[in-house]
Amino acid sequence: MNEENEDRVGSIVAQWRRERPELDPDPLLIIGRIQWLAEVLDAALRPLFAEADLGNGEFDVLAALRREGPPYTLTAGQLSQRMLVTTGAVTKRVDRLIARGLVSRSVSDSDARGRVVGLTPAGAALTDRLIEQHLANEAAILRELPDADRRELERLLATLTRIVGS
């Protein structure tokens, strides 16, 4: 975060302290910065997926399947759990990826009524290429953060995730 943006969040907090001194605006110093960072990070990371003609969330489908290991298949419900989205959102993403030949939908071997989604060879190749570039982008973003600070931030964010997710 550059100083200008850090000052902007701090400035907002200072304004609330001035205008409503009975309130504690300090949560904005954390939540406001997380929200701002989410927008900035999305803008920094999204172009890679857009260049590959992937819409929001489509890489998440490909990555969830690839992380599963061979045969790179999951049900829509399993994808939903791994991606933290509704099965409806999964279905829309999968339909778009099927149209591009990156995933397939087939009958489950264990349940003839069930369907599984699987990576095609083209989907696996694209995912492997993009994850390398994506992780390199993320590493570049974090490059100036010292290792000790990075570990502390990881710990704090994990703690906040547990608290908020409860």
Side-chain angles (χ1 to χ4, degrees):
M1 180 183 311
N2 66 35
E3 297 242 354
E4 176 184 318
N5 290 307
E6 184 174 337
D7 289 342
R8 186 168 50 189
V9 173
S11 177
I12 290 168
V13 169
Q15 289 172 322
W16 280 120
R17 282 191 182 121
R18 183 189 69 232
E19 295 300 316
R20 295 287 309 272
E22 76 280 10
L23 298 177
D24 177 12
D26 284 353
L28 287 172
L29 295 170
I30 296 171
I31 303 297
R33 286 182 175 135
I34 290 173
Q35 289 175 322
W36 179 83
L37 279 169
E39 291 176 22
V40 171
L41 290 171
D42 185 61
L45 299 173
R46 187 93 210 74
L48 171 68
F49 304 117
E51 286 174 21
D53 198 28
L54 293 175
N56 284 340
E58 292 176 2
F59 180 74
D60 292 343
V61 173
L62 298 173
L65 292 167
R66 181 62 178 86
R67 288 192 315 266
E68 200 61 27
Y72 311 115
T73 60
L74 291 168
T75 66
Q78 291 168 325
L79 278 167
S80 173
Q81 290 173 339
R82 283 163 178 77
M83 296 179 351
L84 307 174
V85 297
T86 66
T87 54
V90 168
T91 299
K92 289 177 186 176
R93 293 172 185 179
V94 166
D95 288 345
R96 288 191 299 261
L97 292 168
I98 287 172
R100 293 207 36 219
L102 300 174
V103 301
S104 63
R105 188 181 288 125
S106 59
V107 175
S108 170
D109 290 338
S110 61
D111 178 4
R113 295 173 298 164
R115 301 283 181 262
V116 293
V117 177
L119 274 179
T120 64
L126 178 63
T127 305
D128 283 345
R129 180 175 58 82
L130 289 178
I131 193 61
E132 290 177 19
Q133 294 172 342
H134 178 59
L135 292 175
N137 285 346
E138 289 185 343
I141 289 168
L142 297 173
R143 185 173 298 130
E144 292 184 40
L145 195 61
D147 288 344
D149 289 350
R150 187 185 301 199
R151 286 189 300 277
E152 180 66 3
L153 183 57
E154 290 167 3
R155 186 188 69 73
L156 291 169
L157 289 172
T159 299
L160 184 59
T161 299
R162 281 192 300 276
I163 292 168
V164 172
S166 299

PDB file of all heavy atoms in Angstrom, residues 115-133:
ATOM      1  N   ARG A 115     -23.360 -36.334 -11.798  1.00  0.00           N
ATOM      2  CA  ARG A 115     -22.482 -35.856 -12.854  1.00  0.00           C
ATOM      3  C   ARG A 115     -21.185 -35.362 -12.224  1.00  0.00           C
ATOM      4  O   ARG A 115     -21.174 -34.847 -11.109  1.00  0.00           O
ATOM      5  CB  ARG A 115     -23.119 -34.688 -13.620  1.00  0.00           C
ATOM      6  CG  ARG A 115     -24.458 -35.016 -14.268  1.00  0.00           C
ATOM      7  CD  ARG A 115     -24.231 -35.832 -15.549  1.00  0.00           C
ATOM      8  NE  ARG A 115     -25.466 -36.144 -16.217  1.00  0.00           N
ATOM      9  CZ  ARG A 115     -26.112 -37.297 -16.102  1.00  0.00           C
ATOM     10  NH1 ARG A 115     -25.651 -38.238 -15.324  1.00  0.00           N
ATOM     11  NH2 ARG A 115     -27.212 -37.522 -16.780  1.00  0.00           N
ATOM     12  N   VAL A 116     -20.111 -35.547 -12.962  1.00  0.00           N
ATOM     13  CA  VAL A 116     -18.818 -35.020 -12.518  1.00  0.00           C
ATOM     14  C   VAL A 116     -18.282 -34.085 -13.595  1.00  0.00           C
ATOM     15  O   VAL A 116     -18.565 -34.240 -14.781  1.00  0.00           O
ATOM     16  CB  VAL A 116     -17.783 -36.131 -12.209  1.00  0.00           C
ATOM     17  CG1 VAL A 116     -18.207 -36.950 -11.003  1.00  0.00           C
ATOM     18  CG2 VAL A 116     -17.543 -37.010 -13.407  1.00  0.00           C
ATOM     19  N   VAL A 117     -17.520 -33.129 -13.132  1.00  0.00           N
ATOM     20  CA  VAL A 117     -16.863 -32.180 -14.025  1.00  0.00           C
ATOM     21  C   VAL A 117     -15.391 -32.541 -14.025  1.00  0.00           C
ATOM     22  O   VAL A 117     -14.808 -32.801 -12.958  1.00  0.00           O
ATOM     23  CB  VAL A 117     -17.059 -30.734 -13.527  1.00  0.00           C
ATOM     24  CG1 VAL A 117     -16.311 -29.749 -14.409  1.00  0.00           C
ATOM     25  CG2 VAL A 117     -18.544 -30.393 -13.449  1.00  0.00           C
ATOM     26  N   GLY A 118     -14.794 -32.587 -15.193  1.00  0.00           N
ATOM     27  CA  GLY A 118     -13.378 -32.941 -15.287  1.00  0.00           C
ATOM     28  C   GLY A 118     -12.627 -32.014 -16.219  1.00  0.00           C
ATOM     29  O   GLY A 118     -13.204 -31.454 -17.156  1.00  0.00           O
ATOM     30  N   LEU A 119     -11.349 -31.853 -15.936  1.00  0.00           N
ATOM     31  CA  LEU A 119     -10.476 -31.066 -16.813  1.00  0.00           C
ATOM     32  C   LEU A 119     -10.218 -31.828 -18.101  1.00  0.00           C
ATOM     33  O   LEU A 119      -9.968 -33.031 -18.081  1.00  0.00           O
ATOM     34  CB  LEU A 119      -9.121 -30.832 -16.139  1.00  0.00           C
ATOM     35  CG  LEU A 119      -8.950 -29.661 -15.208  1.00  0.00           C
ATOM     36  CD1 LEU A 119      -7.526 -29.653 -14.653  1.00  0.00           C
ATOM     37  CD2 LEU A 119      -9.256 -28.352 -15.881  1.00  0.00           C
ATOM     38  N   THR A 120     -10.258 -31.130 -19.204  1.00  0.00           N
ATOM     39  CA  THR A 120      -9.802 -31.707 -20.465  1.00  0.00           C
ATOM     40  C   THR A 120      -8.288 -31.490 -20.532  1.00  0.00           C
ATOM     41  O   THR A 120      -7.736 -30.695 -19.751  1.00  0.00           O
ATOM     42  CB  THR A 120     -10.472 -30.998 -21.660  1.00  0.00           C
ATOM     43  OG1 THR A 120     -10.047 -29.636 -21.672  1.00  0.00           O
ATOM     44  CG2 THR A 120     -11.997 -31.106 -21.592  1.00  0.00           C
ATOM     45  N   PRO A 121      -7.595 -32.153 -21.441  1.00  0.00           N
ATOM     46  CA  PRO A 121      -6.164 -31.879 -21.594  1.00  0.00           C
ATOM     47  C   PRO A 121      -5.877 -30.403 -21.849  1.00  0.00           C
ATOM     48  O   PRO A 121      -4.918 -29.844 -21.309  1.00  0.00           O
ATOM     49  CB  PRO A 121      -5.757 -32.761 -22.775  1.00  0.00           C
ATOM     50  CG  PRO A 121      -6.712 -33.926 -22.695  1.00  0.00           C
ATOM     51  CD  PRO A 121      -8.024 -33.300 -22.261  1.00  0.00           C
ATOM     52  N   ALA A 122      -6.712 -29.748 -22.654  1.00  0.00           N
ATOM     53  CA  ALA A 122      -6.518 -28.314 -22.909  1.00  0.00           C
ATOM     54  C   ALA A 122      -6.717 -27.506 -21.627  1.00  0.00           C
ATOM     55  O   ALA A 122      -5.985 -26.545 -21.370  1.00  0.00           O
ATOM     56  CB  ALA A 122      -7.483 -27.831 -23.993  1.00  0.00           C
ATOM     57  N   GLY A 123      -7.698 -27.889 -20.810  1.00  0.00           N
ATOM     58  CA  GLY A 123      -7.941 -27.202 -19.547  1.00  0.00           C
ATOM     59  C   GLY A 123      -6.788 -27.385 -18.579  1.00  0.00           C
ATOM     60  O   GLY A 123      -6.381 -26.434 -17.896  1.00  0.00           O
ATOM     61  N   ALA A 124      -6.241 -28.591 -18.521  1.00  0.00           N
ATOM     62  CA  ALA A 124      -5.102 -28.854 -17.629  1.00  0.00           C
ATOM     63  C   ALA A 124      -3.877 -28.055 -18.078  1.00  0.00           C
ATOM     64  O   ALA A 124      -3.177 -27.460 -17.246  1.00  0.00           O
ATOM     65  CB  ALA A 124      -4.785 -30.346 -17.599  1.00  0.00           C
ATOM     66  N   ALA A 125      -3.636 -28.007 -19.364  1.00  0.00           N
ATOM     67  CA  ALA A 125      -2.473 -27.263 -19.883  1.00  0.00           C
ATOM     68  C   ALA A 125      -2.618 -25.771 -19.598  1.00  0.00           C
ATOM     69  O   ALA A 125      -1.660 -25.118 -19.162  1.00  0.00           O
ATOM     70  CB  ALA A 125      -2.320 -27.513 -21.381  1.00  0.00           C
ATOM     71  N   LEU A 126      -3.807 -25.226 -19.825  1.00  0.00           N
ATOM     72  CA  LEU A 126      -4.035 -23.808 -19.560  1.00  0.00           C
ATOM     73  C   LEU A 126      -3.874 -23.516 -18.070  1.00  0.00           C
ATOM     74  O   LEU A 126      -3.234 -22.530 -17.693  1.00  0.00           O
ATOM     75  CB  LEU A 126      -5.431 -23.390 -20.032  1.00  0.00           C
ATOM     76  CG  LEU A 126      -5.798 -21.928 -19.764  1.00  0.00           C
ATOM     77  CD1 LEU A 126      -4.877 -20.980 -20.524  1.00  0.00           C
ATOM     78  CD2 LEU A 126      -7.262 -21.691 -20.125  1.00  0.00           C
ATOM     79  N   THR A 127      -4.431 -24.364 -17.229  1.00  0.00           N
ATOM     80  CA  THR A 127      -4.343 -24.160 -15.778  1.00  0.00           C
ATOM     81  C   THR A 127      -2.892 -24.194 -15.315  1.00  0.00           C
ATOM     82  O   THR A 127      -2.471 -23.343 -14.523  1.00  0.00           O
ATOM     83  CB  THR A 127      -5.167 -25.231 -15.035  1.00  0.00           C
ATOM     84  OG1 THR A 127      -6.508 -25.202 -15.526  1.00  0.00           O
ATOM     85  CG2 THR A 127      -5.166 -24.981 -13.538  1.00  0.00           C
ATOM     86  N   ASP A 128      -2.130 -25.153 -15.802  1.00  0.00           N
ATOM     87  CA  ASP A 128      -0.725 -25.248 -15.401  1.00  0.00           C
ATOM     88  C   ASP A 128       0.063 -24.008 -15.828  1.00  0.00           C
ATOM     89  O   ASP A 128       0.899 -23.504 -15.076  1.00  0.00           O
ATOM     90  CB  ASP A 128      -0.082 -26.509 -15.994  1.00  0.00           C
ATOM     91  CG  ASP A 128      -0.487 -27.772 -15.240  1.00  0.00           C
ATOM     92  OD1 ASP A 128      -1.019 -27.666 -14.111  1.00  0.00           O
ATOM     93  OD2 ASP A 128      -0.266 -28.869 -15.776  1.00  0.00           O
ATOM     94  N   ARG A 129      -0.224 -23.492 -17.013  1.00  0.00           N
ATOM     95  CA  ARG A 129       0.466 -22.282 -17.475  1.00  0.00           C
ATOM     96  C   ARG A 129       0.050 -21.070 -16.641  1.00  0.00           C
ATOM     97  O   ARG A 129       0.894 -20.294 -16.181  1.00  0.00           O
ATOM     98  CB  ARG A 129       0.160 -22.040 -18.955  1.00  0.00           C
ATOM     99  CG  ARG A 129       0.847 -20.799 -19.508  1.00  0.00           C
ATOM    100  CD  ARG A 129       0.636 -20.611 -21.005  1.00  0.00           C
ATOM    101  NE  ARG A 129      -0.751 -20.515 -21.417  1.00  0.00           N
ATOM    102  CZ  ARG A 129      -1.483 -19.394 -21.355  1.00  0.00           C
ATOM    103  NH1 ARG A 129      -0.959 -18.284 -20.875  1.00  0.00           N
ATOM    104  NH2 ARG A 129      -2.731 -19.387 -21.773  1.00  0.00           N
ATOM    105  N   LEU A 130      -1.249 -20.923 -16.419  1.00  0.00           N
ATOM    106  CA  LEU A 130      -1.738 -19.746 -15.701  1.00  0.00           C
ATOM    107  C   LEU A 130      -1.347 -19.742 -14.227  1.00  0.00           C
ATOM    108  O   LEU A 130      -1.064 -18.674 -13.674  1.00  0.00           O
ATOM    109  CB  LEU A 130      -3.262 -19.643 -15.832  1.00  0.00           C
ATOM    110  CG  LEU A 130      -3.787 -19.259 -17.213  1.00  0.00           C
ATOM    111  CD1 LEU A 130      -5.312 -19.248 -17.212  1.00  0.00           C
ATOM    112  CD2 LEU A 130      -3.237 -17.923 -17.665  1.00  0.00           C
ATOM    113  N   ILE A 131      -1.321 -20.904 -13.573  1.00  0.00           N
ATOM    114  CA  ILE A 131      -0.981 -20.902 -12.148  1.00  0.00           C
ATOM    115  C   ILE A 131       0.461 -20.458 -11.947  1.00  0.00           C
ATOM    116  O   ILE A 131       0.766 -19.757 -10.978  1.00  0.00           O
ATOM    117  CB  ILE A 131      -1.278 -22.251 -11.454  1.00  0.00           C
ATOM    118  CG1 ILE A 131      -1.210 -22.108  -9.927  1.00  0.00           C
ATOM    119  CG2 ILE A 131      -0.355 -23.356 -11.925  1.00  0.00           C
ATOM    120  CD1 ILE A 131      -2.173 -21.145  -9.320  1.00  0.00           C
ATOM    121  N   GLU A 132       1.344 -20.817 -12.851  1.00  0.00           N
ATOM    122  CA  GLU A 132       2.729 -20.354 -12.749  1.00  0.00           C
ATOM    123  C   GLU A 132       2.789 -18.831 -12.836  1.00  0.00           C
ATOM    124  O   GLU A 132       3.461 -18.172 -12.043  1.00  0.00           O
ATOM    125  CB  GLU A 132       3.587 -20.979 -13.850  1.00  0.00           C
ATOM    126  CG  GLU A 132       3.826 -22.463 -13.660  1.00  0.00           C
ATOM    127  CD  GLU A 132       4.613 -23.076 -14.806  1.00  0.00           C
ATOM    128  OE1 GLU A 132       5.276 -22.321 -15.557  1.00  0.00           O
ATOM    129  OE2 GLU A 132       4.569 -24.311 -14.944  1.00  0.00           O
ATOM    130  N   GLN A 133       2.087 -18.269 -13.801  1.00  0.00           N
ATOM    131  CA  GLN A 133       2.085 -16.816 -13.974  1.00  0.00           C
ATOM    132  C   GLN A 133       1.370 -16.125 -12.807  1.00  0.00           C
ATOM    133  O   GLN A 133       1.817 -15.071 -12.345  1.00  0.00           O
ATOM    134  CB  GLN A 133       1.420 -16.456 -15.299  1.00  0.00           C
ATOM    135  CG  GLN A 133       2.202 -16.940 -16.498  1.00  0.00           C
ATOM    136  CD  GLN A 133       1.439 -16.736 -17.798  1.00  0.00           C
ATOM    137  OE1 GLN A 133       0.232 -16.542 -17.814  1.00  0.00           O
ATOM    138  NE2 GLN A 133       2.158 -16.804 -18.917  1.00  0.00           N
TER     139      GLN A 133
END
